[in-house]
């Protein structure tokens, strides 16, 4: 491991217990900064309500850490919007944000558009499929941004059980083996091409917080490549010492099947390729196979290639800041 990364791990990797809540609140009052929590959601009616309710109870009603909770619905066909609203979130549909630019499917698209409907100086992203959610996820990644002006982006790190711990042990697997795309695609890419980022435990994790002043200067890959792209671009823009990670314990969520993981990996590879060379990809698509009546049948999916520009370049965003 690079000496620089070893130093970074010693100085920029923390536990949620390293910053007591009272200290974080004091820093927030002193700095006057506001905090927005954004949940990108697509058909998450089973989990989104609990997450919103816990954040509101623990971090808005009990203590004034979070200023707004916004759920951006990415085209759900279930009751995600209704459940989130009933739990106390402000719900905004992806297609109503910046209608001048037609929306495309993808997580990064939703995160990018969320900058236009939130106001926090610090924006905290939380995936909407988390189970047994703890507000430590929010305090852990927001804390360093409120207490240390030199930090611009903080990612959560955690164990990711593949299934329940009991089923993992029964099948001979060790707990904490989730994050297959991280281990098979993202981590090798980062180690080979951006070794300064090799210290991130969960580079693709969906729980992270950043200063708006950084987010508005970053391009956003519209799909699954958004986390890797943001990490690489932030490294180049603000440097390694402005990035950090915080251990928040265990992350339990719904796991994707193998083919969905393949599509995710392809999008991540494409994001990395763009940043390596900005070169031409001959075939931005991925063919996978499913067994059908006549044997294995090919299914070809396009790989996300579109990116949204930095929000600071969008006229509507600039006009809002002036107003």
């Amino acid at each position: 491991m690079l000496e620089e990364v070893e130093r970074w791990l010693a100085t920029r990797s923390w536990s949620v217990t390293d910053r007591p809540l009272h200290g974080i609140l004091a820093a927030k009052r002193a700095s006057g900064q506001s905090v927005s929590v954004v949940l990108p959601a697509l058909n998450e009616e089973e989990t989104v309500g609990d997450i919103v309710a816990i954040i509101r109870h623990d971090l808005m009603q009990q203590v004034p850490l979070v200023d707004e909770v916004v759920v951006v619905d990415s085209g759900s066909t279930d009751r995600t919007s209704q459940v989130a609203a009933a739990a106390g979130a402000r719900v905004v549909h992806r297609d109503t944000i910046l209608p001048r630019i037609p929306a495309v499917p993808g997580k990064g698209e939703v995160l990018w558009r969320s900058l236009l409907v939130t106001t926090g100086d610090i924006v905290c992203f939380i995936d909407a499929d988390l189970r047994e959610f703890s507000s430590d996820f929010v305090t852990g990644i927001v804390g360093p941004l409120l207490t240390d002006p030199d930090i611009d982006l903080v990612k959560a790190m955690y164990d990711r059980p593949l299934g329940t711990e009991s089923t993992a042990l029964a099948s001979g697997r060790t707990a904490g083996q989730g994050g297959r795309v991280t281990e098979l695609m993202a981590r090798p890419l980062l180690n080979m091409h951006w070794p300064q980022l090799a210290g991130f435990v969960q580079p693709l994790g969906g729980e992270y917080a950043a200063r708006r002043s950084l987010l508005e200067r970053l391009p956003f890959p519209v799909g699954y490549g958004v986390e890797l792209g943001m990490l690489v671009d932030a490294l180049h823009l603000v440097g390694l010492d402005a990035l950090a990670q915080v251990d928040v314990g265990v992350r339990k969520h719904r796991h994707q099947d193998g083919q969905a993981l393949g599509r995710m990996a392809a999008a991540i590879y494409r994001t990395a390729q763009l940043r390596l060379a900005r070169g031409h990809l001959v075939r931005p698509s991925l063919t996978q196979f499913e067994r059908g009546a006549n044997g294995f049948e090919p299914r070809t999916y396009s790989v996300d290639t579109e990116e949204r520009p930095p929000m600071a370049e969008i006229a509507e965003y600039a006009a809002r800041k002036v107003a």
Side-chain angles (χ1 to χ4, degrees), residues 33-310:
Q33 296 178 92
S34 55
V35 177
S36 299
V37 175
V38 172
L39 280 72
L42 176 62
N43 295 329
E44 303 294 357
E45 65 177 5
E46 293 184 5
T47 50
V48 68
D50 287 343
I51 297 172
V52 169
I54 290 169
I55 293 172
R56 283 187 52 81
H57 175 268
D58 292 0
L59 304 179
M60 297 180 78
Q61 297 166 357
Q62 296 284 84
V63 297
L65 180 66
V66 171
D67 297 281
E68 62 177 350
V69 179
V70 179
V71 171
V72 183
D73 193 322
S74 188
S76 299
T77 56
D78 65 0
R79 299 183 62 255
T80 290
S81 289
Q82 296 93 315
V83 170
R90 176 161 61 92
V91 179
V92 185
H93 194 282
R94 173 199 63 197
D95 295 345
T96 66
I97 307 170
L98 199 61
R100 171 175 68 84
I101 300 176
V104 298
K107 179 183 179 181
E109 177 82 352
V110 173
L111 300 184
W112 181 72
R113 290 175 186 264
S114 75
L115 297 180
L116 262 169
V117 292
T118 54
T119 59
D121 302 301
I122 293 170
V123 183
C124 174
F125 298 119
I126 300 290
D127 280 351
D129 66 342
L130 301 188
R131 302 180 184 278
E132 301 179 29
F133 177 78
S134 165
S135 57
D136 283 350
F137 274 77
V138 176
T139 57
I141 56 180
V142 167
L145 293 163
L146 288 171
T147 59
D148 190 337
D150 294 329
I151 302 296
D152 285 316
L153 184 149
V154 182
K155 290 196 70 87
M157 56 177 167
Y158 33 67
D159 292 314
R160 294 182 66 182
L162 184 58
T164 64
E165 186 169 349
S166 59
T167 59
L169 294 174
S171 63
R173 300 191 307 268
T174 57
Q177 294 300 307
R180 291 159 287 172
V181 175
T182 293
E183 300 304 328
L184 296 175
M185 176 61 72
R187 200 175 307 286
L189 282 171
L190 292 175
N191 276 264
M192 287 187 292
H193 301 297
W194 296 281
Q196 287 177 294
L197 298 174
F200 277 94
V201 175
Q202 297 291 352
L204 300 185
E207 290 70 45
Y208 49 98
R211 299 191 190 282
R212 178 176 293 272
S213 58
L214 171 63
L215 293 172
E216 66 187 14
R217 292 184 288 159
L218 296 175
F220 277 60
V222 298
Y224 286 124
V226 63
E227 275 84 23
L228 183 134
M230 187 178 297
L231 206 55
V232 170
D233 293 340
L235 173 67
H236 292 307
L237 200 58
V238 296
L240 182 61
D241 282 342
L243 313 180
Q245 61 184 351
V246 174
D247 186 351
V248 297
V250 179
R251 182 187 197 266
K252 297 181 180 180
H253 66 117
R254 183 186 68 252
H255 291 280
Q256 304 278 1
D257 63 34
Q259 293 205 341
L261 294 177
R263 296 192 290 274
M264 188 182 304
I268 290 165
Y269 178 78
R270 168 62 173 169
T271 301
Q273 184 192 49
L274 284 172
R275 278 151 181 79
L276 284 168
R278 297 290 171 179
H280 176 65
L281 182 64
V282 175
R283 183 175 180 267
S285 57
L286 174 72
T287 298
Q288 297 177 316
F289 295 88
E290 297 176 3
R291 185 182 292 279
N294 299 313
F296 285 104
E297 300 173 354
R299 299 286 188 273
T300 299
Y301 303 88
S302 62
V303 175
D304 294 317
T305 59
E306 188 172 357
E307 295 195 7
R308 295 306 189 191

